Amino acid sequence: ESKFKILYKNVAHPKLAAYIKKHNSLVESGEYLTFPQNQSEFKGGVPHYLESIEEMVPDIEWGKNIRLVLDIGCTDSSFVASLLDKEVLALSLGLKDDLIDLAQVSLERGFPTVSSPFASRRLPFPSGVFDAIHCSGCSIPWHSNGGRLLLEMNRILRPSGYFILSTKHDSIDEEEAMTRLTASICWNILAHKTDEVSEVGVKIYQKPDSNDIYELRRKRNPPLCKENENPDAAWYVPMRSCIHAIPSAIEQHGTEWPEEWPKRLETYPDWMNDKEKLITDTNHWKAIVDKSYLTGMGIDWSNIRNVMDMKAIYGGFAAALSRQKIWVMNVVPVHAPDTLPFIFERGLIGIYHDWCESFGTYPRSYDLLHADHLFSRIKNRCKQPVSIVVEMDRIVRPGGWVIVRDKVEILDPLEAILRSLHWEIRMTYAQKEEGIICAQKTLWRP
């Protein structure tokens, strides 16, 4: 239901009120903010827009060949909403200099969204993981600063992946600058068409699938990045004005396009060393979710939509919940082994994060947080567990849940902190030195 209406009070903000007055795709209706299906930022509706993209490039099979999309900048979320109907997981990137309150609206509707600066530092994603990147009505100066922002898109886009740019008004100077830039990084323009119904000009670019084409450039500008530079390093790493080589060795991720969805969820690629470990992890979380989380915790899963796995390893927890009507943000802590490329390879979404800092989301925007041995991993790094629990309290909605699994010596003080925040402890269980806490946030205010 939240796809079509949300409580206006939960997202009310002066900037948003001004946006609603100018756009008919969001309508204030009593205590609700509604999203009429026949209205969107795209004339003729989003389904027509998505179909026209598929017609231009038939290989873009939404929900099969294309599973993971990054949508740059939040608008009325209609694009993301329509893709969900096609089994496409689209992550919206709310930009700090954008009308960021729309990121809050997107989360309230139950769509995957993060807020992040997008100026000088890399986005917190590995390289070559998104099947497509979409930017509608972009006012982003892609060609400025040596094309640094577009080179960042090139870094996180899968080889052979698609960059879809739609705009109503192209200035000739900007169009020429964009043409030069995309040619310099060897993006092939597959389609350039103005749709008669939506009046939107759509350009679809494709990233190359091998390094051969880079060698053919007359001007090697931007240059190829140095071999010792890790393309997956993304936490507080400045953007580079260079092109990362396309992976070619079998032990590198990104050498082949993954299986069609949903096959890719259970496909273990050749570049993963220990497949037995992955299969064991998948079976482990499937058993726990089926036999315990879905039935034995007292959680009403029909009320759960936005879920975060605060220390994801292989995405087993998210995979076990894939049949539920939810999405899971898989967070890989920056000082843990880097398993995030594999999570994306399975058709799931995730992000790097350091839990000694706050997470890029609005307060009260997640329904359930899952922390499996997170506190024991970071106890020597972050000053006090209380700061992380307070951040969890900030992120979770009133009525939302946390499930914490860890050593008993760590869980005991955590339980005391949760009680001090007036959370209801719904279940505790311990066996030998390991235990679990399931707690629910109340409506208490300090």
Side-chain angles (χ1 to χ4, degrees), residues 59 61-69 83-90 131 158 257-267 314-315 318-324 326-328 330 342-349:
D59 281 348
E61 289 182 278
W62 298 117
K64 288 184 179 176
N65 204 29
I66 302 296
R67 162 66 179 169
L68 298 175
V69 174
L83 281 177
L84 269 177
D85 294 337
K86 295 178 177 284
E87 290 284 309
V88 176
L89 204 50
D131 304 337
R158 192 180 286 288
W257 195 271
E259 294 277 351
E260 282 190 355
W261 180 260
K263 275 189 199 167
R264 62 168 88 173
L265 187 64
E266 298 297 339
T267 303
Y314 300 118
L321 285 168
S322 60
R323 290 189 192 138
Q324 307 299 314
I326 64 162
W327 61 272
V328 179
N330 292 282
F342 175 64
I343 289 170
F344 273 94
E345 192 78 8
R346 298 185 82 173
L348 305 167
I349 54 166

Side-chain angles (χ1 to χ4, degrees), residues 26 68 73 204 336 438 442:
L26 293 80
L68 298 175
I204 303 174
C438 177
T442 64

Side-chain angles (χ1 to χ4, degrees), residues 139-246:
S139 55
I140 292 172
W142 295 112
H143 54 280
S144 62
N145 292 317
R148 192 169 60 190
L149 298 180
L150 199 72
L151 284 163
E152 175 62 0
M153 297 295 95
N154 188 69
R155 182 185 74 84
I156 62 176
L157 189 61
R158 192 180 286 288
S160 298
Y162 304 95
F163 184 78
I164 303 164
L165 189 64
S166 69
T167 178
K168 286 194 175 178
H169 308 290
D170 252 347
S171 85
I172 292 169
D173 289 348
E174 282 185 12
E175 193 165 344
E176 285 177 355
M178 187 68 173
T179 300
R180 285 193 300 272
L181 177 58
T182 51
S184 74
I185 62 173
C186 304
W187 280 10
N188 184 20
I189 184 155
L190 301 179
H192 182 193
K193 183 181 173 186
T194 299
D195 186 74
E196 291 174 11
V197 178
S198 64
E199 298 171 11
V200 165
V202 180
K203 287 181 191 169
I204 303 174
Y205 301 92
Q206 187 173 33
K207 179 179 171 177
D209 63 355
S210 78
N211 295 306
D212 301 345
I213 197 164
Y214 295 144
E215 303 302 323
L216 300 173
R217 296 180 300 163
R218 276 185 303 171
K219 290 182 181 175
R220 305 247 169 127
N221 186 32
L224 287 174
C225 301
K226 292 173 183 170
E227 279 186 25
N228 63 355
E229 192 169 307
N230 180 6
D232 295 333
W235 191 252
Y236 283 92
V237 175
M239 288 181 191
R240 308 271 194 242
S241 294
C242 61
I243 304 170
H244 284 282
I246 305 284

